[in-house]
Amino acid sequence: MHAVATISQSALTHNLNVVRTQAPHAKIICMVKANAYGHHLDLIKPLLQCDLLAVSELSEARTLRQYTALPILLLSGVFNEHDLNEAIELDCHLVLHDLSQLSIIGNSKQPITVWLKVDTGMHRLGLSSSELSICLEQINSHSNIRVECIMSHFSCADEPENTNNLKQLNYFNQIKVDGINRSIANSAAILSLPQSHFEYVRPGIMLYGVSPFSTVDEKLQPVMELSAPIMSVKSIDKGDSVGYGSSWTAKQNTKIAIIGIGYGDGYPRHAKNGTPILINNTLYPLIGRVSMDLICVNIGDLNASVGDKAILWGHDKLHVETVAKHSNTIGYELLTSVSSRVDFIAHD
Ligand SMILES: *Cc1c(COP(=O)(O)O)cnc(C)c1O
C-alpha cells in the first residue's frame, strides 16, 4: 500500500506532437530539468525524439547522458575549468549568460558549442546587448568556439495579454546576427505567440500535459497520474473533528476515507479544505489538515473499501492545475515536489 506516480508514455508522445503542430518550422528542445519536471529522466523516453534536450545543472546532464545520445543544452553554463571539461565530455552545448564565463570557455582549445543568453527584460540571467557584442567579438577570435544560437526568456508569457511579452519580443527581434539561430519561446509562447517561435522552441510544462496558463488546455494530456490507496474508512458523527488541529468539523453524520499520501510524498500541505480527490470516478473534498503520511476525504455515503484507489491528480476529471489552485501554487511546483517515497512507474 503505497502512493504511485504512473508516467503515461502515450501522453508524452501526444504532447510532443502538439508542440510539433504548434511550431511546425522550429526545432524542438525538450526541457527536462529538475528530473523532467519531477517525472524521472528514466521514464520519459518519448521526449528523447526531439532535436536537443535541456537541463539546468551538470549533475542532471550526467544522469541524462545515460539515456540519450542527443546533444544536451546546459542552461547554467559552466563556471570553472573542471566543469567545462566534464560538460565537453558529456557533449553539452553551453549557455553563456554572464561575461565571467567567457574567460573559462576562452581558455579551452577544445571544440565548444555555445548559446548566448541575452536579457530582454526579465533581468534574471542574460547578457546586455553591449555585453553580447563583446562576446561575439571575442568568440570570433577563437576558431574552436561556435555560436549555435542566441536565446532569451519571457518573464510574463503565462499572461498572454501582458504588454511585456511584445516588448521583450521587439527587443529580441532587433538582435539579429547572420548565421546564428534564435530561441525565446517557452510553452506559453509556443501556444500563444507564434511570431516568437524562431528556429528553436523550448517546451517544458506542456510536454507534461499541464497548461502554462491559469486554465486547463484540452489539447494536452496529463502525463503523471498520482494515486494512493484508501487505508481506512470510517463513519463519523455530526460535530466530530478530523485531523491535526481539529480544523474541520462534520456538519452532519458522514463517512470519511483516510488516504495513504501526505506532504512527505509531495502532496501539498497547503491544500485547502475542499480540494477535490477522485475516488470511484467521483470527486470528493479533502477535509482537515494534510499530514505527513495521510489525508482525509469526506466520501458521504460512498461504498468505498480499504485498498480502493484515490487519484490526487493527472486525470481528465482532476488536473494538477486544479489542485495547484486550491494550494496557492502552480502545477510546476506540485510536479517537481513528488518525493522519492512515491513509486514511479512507466505506463503505456
Ligand atoms: C524551464 C525553461 C523553459 C520551459 O518553460 P515552460 O514554462 O515549462 O515551458 C524554457 N526556457 C528556459 C530557459 C527554461 O529555464
Side-chain angles (χ1 to χ4, degrees), residues 138-191:
Q138 295 210 11
I139 286 173
N140 251 334
S141 63
H142 290 83
S143 56
N144 58 316
I145 305 178
R146 187 178 68 85
V147 179
E148 169 66 17
C149 190
I150 293 175
M151 65 185 285
S152 190
H153 198 45
F154 284 115
S155 55
C156 306
D158 57 326
E159 303 164 24
E161 306 303 321
N162 195 309
T163 54
N164 281 345
N165 295 324
L166 288 182
K167 258 192 227 159
Q168 282 190 261
L169 187 58
N170 283 339
Y171 188 99
F172 194 62
N173 260 317
Q174 289 161 22
I175 303 168
K176 190 161 179 24
V177 183
D178 278 348
I180 301 184
N181 298 308
R182 284 183 288 180
S183 171
I184 191 170
N186 55 5
S187 297
I190 289 166
L191 292 166

